[in-house]
Amino acid sequence: MDQNKILSALSYISLFFAPFLFPLIVYFVVNDSQVKYHAKRAFLSHLIPGVLLILLSIFGVFGMFSIYNYDMNGFAFTMFGLMGVYLIISIACIIWNIIQAIRIMRN
């Protein structure tokens, strides 16, 4: 098995053991352009749920303490809806990373 394929696939699968760190290390250590390409894609796909969580948290804090927020039921409904969307996007990112790792190992 080719080491470049293994590193590329591990960059995607690292979502389970070192989500941001492993692809970043692979990107800066390995000189192969194909491995760098996959490490960058894996890093960005690992970053998506984290950035969404930060944005959702900021929205929640500002929305909760807003002086214009008189209807807490509507706010709670909106937050639960956004958390559902976040969950769906996170699961989609996990599945996408697994599929990419399998595609790399098959070729």
Side-chain angles (χ1 to χ4, degrees), residues 11-12 14-15 18-21 23-24 38-56 86 89-90 93-94 96-97:
S11 293
Y12 289 109
S14 70
L15 181 67
F20 303 109
L21 190 60
L24 199 60
H38 287 293
K40 183 172 68 171
R41 286 182 67 191
F43 177 75
L44 292 175
S45 69
H46 296 177
L47 200 63
I48 290 170
V51 169
L52 283 176
L53 184 62
I54 290 169
L55 292 175
L56 184 62
Y86 170 74
I89 290 173
S90 295
C93 285
I94 291 170
W96 185 82
N97 279 304

Side-chain angles (χ1 to χ4, degrees), residues 21-31 35-36 39-40 43:
L21 190 60
F22 189 79
L24 199 60
I25 290 171
V26 168
Y27 183 79
F28 287 116
V29 171
V30 177
N31 291 328
V35 175
K36 282 187 176 239
K40 183 172 68 171
F43 177 75

Side-chain angles (χ1 to χ4, degrees), residues 28-99:
F28 287 116
V29 171
V30 177
N31 291 328
D32 186 33
S33 63
Q34 194 69 13
V35 175
K36 282 187 176 239
Y37 170 76
H38 287 293
K40 183 172 68 171
R41 286 182 67 191
F43 177 75
L44 292 175
S45 69
H46 296 177
L47 200 63
I48 290 170
V51 169
L52 283 176
L53 184 62
I54 290 169
L55 292 175
L56 184 62
S57 299
I58 291 171
F59 173 73
V61 168
F62 284 124
M64 187 182 305
F65 295 113
S66 173
I67 60 172
Y68 300 109
N69 189 15
Y70 296 111
D71 183 20
M72 285 304 284
N73 291 332
F75 175 73
F77 182 73
T78 303
M79 287 306 295
F80 281 120
L82 289 175
M83 288 188 320
V85 170
Y86 170 74
L87 180 67
I88 291 169
I89 290 173
S90 295
I91 291 171
C93 285
I94 291 170
I95 292 170
W96 185 82
N97 279 304
I98 293 170
I99 290 171

